[in-house]
Amino acid sequence: HSADNVRAGFAIDRTMSSIHETWQDLVEFEVEPQAGDYGLRAGLTQQPLTNEPVTHVIPVTHAKIRCLEWLLNLLYRTYGGVHVWGRGKKLGDARRARLDKARDHVRQHIEDHLHLRVDQPDPYGKGGTTNNGPMADRFFAEASRDAIVALFIDPTLKEKVRSLHRNLSLILRIMSSTRKIDVAELAALCKDTYLLILESFPWASISPSLHRILAHLPEKVVLNGGEGLGSLSEEGLEATNKLLRRYRERLARKTSLVDNIRDVFLHLWVRSDPPILASDRRTPQSCTDCEETGHTLRSCPRRARAGGKDDDAIAMYFT
């Protein structure tokens, strides 16, 4: 939350091996953990559970969802005039009531103008909320920007929200791509967005997920060979959740947990065969712009000839 730290950058200069070495030193000298102690302990309170460099990967789909939730929380508090982050006793009854009223209004406004039911319980009874990857894509689309900005009356505030929405949309789009990225330009965009938040909304709290994107995405792109992180997305894995539920409930033995998981695994293994996977696609690809089959909106020839939308043109600048 320090603008000076943001301008200086956040280099990833720690490795899992160095973290394990620090832990061994703590065990040897029997250093007791203390609250807020980031000196000798380097933030460690227990033995690391893995040797893998888990900090080198950003979960693309969940990063979109976390950004969606963070920006919604910012909109709720900005619209309701509740310039305090967090809930509970920190808010107080009066501000909590204003925040709840603002949340209801913002959600209804988005549903009326964009037909998106954001930040609500999952209507299909599977648990969780409606905040998912496709919802984040639609919320951060260029076509949604005017409706979101229309929540506010103050022209200065409108421009700040518009800039923040545009920057996050571009960053998430670049992160999800598989193209070669101009890392220097991406780093400048991330830093400008970080400073925009700190200067325009100084009361807002930067979540760990948002910090991971704005502070470390350029370095993650470098570690990925200079390409976007789209090839590392867990979106395909998440798409199998409904298949797992279906197979466990209907197509697997209930005699034991081992038998149940084994049958599920075999069904997924069979489904991974390319001819079977292709036969499961009942409808051909279709474009929502020209309404022709054989391609999608992203690869539409007519849209490419027309130059696409402004965000598309700006995103191409980073590749």
Side-chain angles (χ1 to χ4, degrees):
H1 295 87
S2 167
D4 293 336
N5 290 342
V6 172
R7 294 187 181 95
F10 300 92
I12 303 177
D13 52 5
R14 299 175 68 186
T15 63
M16 289 305 300
S17 59
S18 68
I19 293 175
H20 278 278
E21 291 173 1
T22 301
W23 174 257
Q24 291 301 325
D25 292 339
L26 295 178
V27 173
E28 181 179 352
F29 293 104
E30 298 181 353
V31 178
E32 293 295 330
Q34 297 180 3
D37 182 7
Y38 292 98
L40 178 61
R41 299 193 63 86
L44 287 172
T45 57
Q46 63 180 3
Q47 184 177 6
L49 301 178
T50 179
N51 292 317
E52 297 296 324
V54 293
T55 58
H56 287 182
V57 178
I58 292 179
V60 175
T61 301
H62 286 84
K64 294 180 183 178
I65 299 173
R66 300 289 90 80
C67 280
L68 167 63
E69 294 172 344
W70 182 87
L71 186 54
L72 285 173
N73 276 314
L74 183 76
L75 294 177
Y76 299 154
R77 286 162 170 76
T78 303
Y79 183 83
V82 182
H83 294 169
V84 176
W85 208 263
R87 294 187 62 83
K89 296 180 179 180
K90 191 173 183 179
L91 278 178
D93 294 337
R95 286 189 293 197
R96 187 181 300 109
R98 291 209 314 269
L99 180 59
D100 291 340
K101 185 176 180 180
R103 179 184 294 105
D104 292 339
H105 178 85
V106 171
R107 290 191 300 195
Q108 189 61 48
H109 175 88
I110 293 175
E111 184 174 353
D112 292 342
H113 292 79
L114 301 177
H115 309 291
L116 300 178
R117 300 189 64 187
V118 298
D119 205 16
Q120 299 185 35
D122 178 24
Y124 298 103
K126 302 298 182 182
T129 69
T130 56
N131 296 337
N132 51 35
M135 180 69 73
D137 290 336
R138 294 177 62 186
F139 181 83
F140 283 109
E142 182 181 358
S144 303
R145 192 164 302 145
D146 288 339
I148 295 172
V149 172
L151 277 164
F152 307 100
I153 300 175
D154 181 20
T156 303
L157 184 57
K158 278 177 174 284
E159 187 56 34
K160 291 178 180 178
V161 173
R162 182 182 297 277
S163 299
L164 181 57
H165 185 276
R166 181 183 63 247
N167 288 7
L168 289 177
S169 173
L170 291 172
I171 291 171
L172 294 177
R173 185 182 301 229
I174 295 167
M175 177 186 67
S176 305
S177 72
T178 56
R179 298 173 178 268
K180 283 286 186 179
I181 305 299
D182 187 332
V183 180
E185 294 291 344
L186 175 60
L189 175 62
C190 291
K191 183 178 292 187
D192 291 343
T193 306
Y194 213 136
L195 293 173
L196 173 64
I197 296 172
L198 296 181
E199 294 170 357
S200 301
F201 308 96
W203 47 267
S205 176
I206 304 295
S207 68
S209 295
L210 184 63
H211 169 80
R212 186 181 296 116
I213 295 171
L214 298 182
H216 301 296
L217 177 59
E219 193 164 357
K220 305 296 177 65
V221 170
V222 172
L223 294 172
N224 194 42
E227 296 181 354
L229 308 182
S231 60
L232 305 176
S233 175
E234 72 281 20
E235 193 169 19
L237 184 63
E238 291 289 324
T240 63
N241 286 343
K242 57 181 179 292
L243 296 176
L244 289 172
R245 287 194 296 265
R246 185 190 309 164
Y247 293 161
R248 292 200 66 183
E249 292 174 2
R250 305 177 186 177
L251 300 175
R253 289 172 290 175
K254 309 299 189 295
T255 53
S256 71
L257 179 61
V258 174
D259 290 341
N260 187 266
I261 297 299
R262 175 183 173 83
D263 291 346
V264 170
F265 178 82
L266 291 176
H267 277 294
L268 290 174
W269 182 264
V270 171
R271 190 179 182 277
S272 67
D273 186 74
I276 295 178
L277 183 60
S279 66
D280 192 40
R281 296 169 180 165
R282 297 180 177 84
T283 58
Q285 290 182 333
S286 60
C287 178
T288 57
D289 185 33
C290 66
E291 299 182 354
E292 295 182 1
T293 58
H295 63 266
T296 61
L297 175 65
R298 180 174 295 181
S299 58
C300 178
R302 188 176 76 176
R303 189 163 177 258
R305 289 193 298 270
K309 296 185 180 297
D310 292 341
D311 280 6
D312 295 327
I314 297 173
M316 289 299 294
Y317 173 76
F318 292 86
T319 63

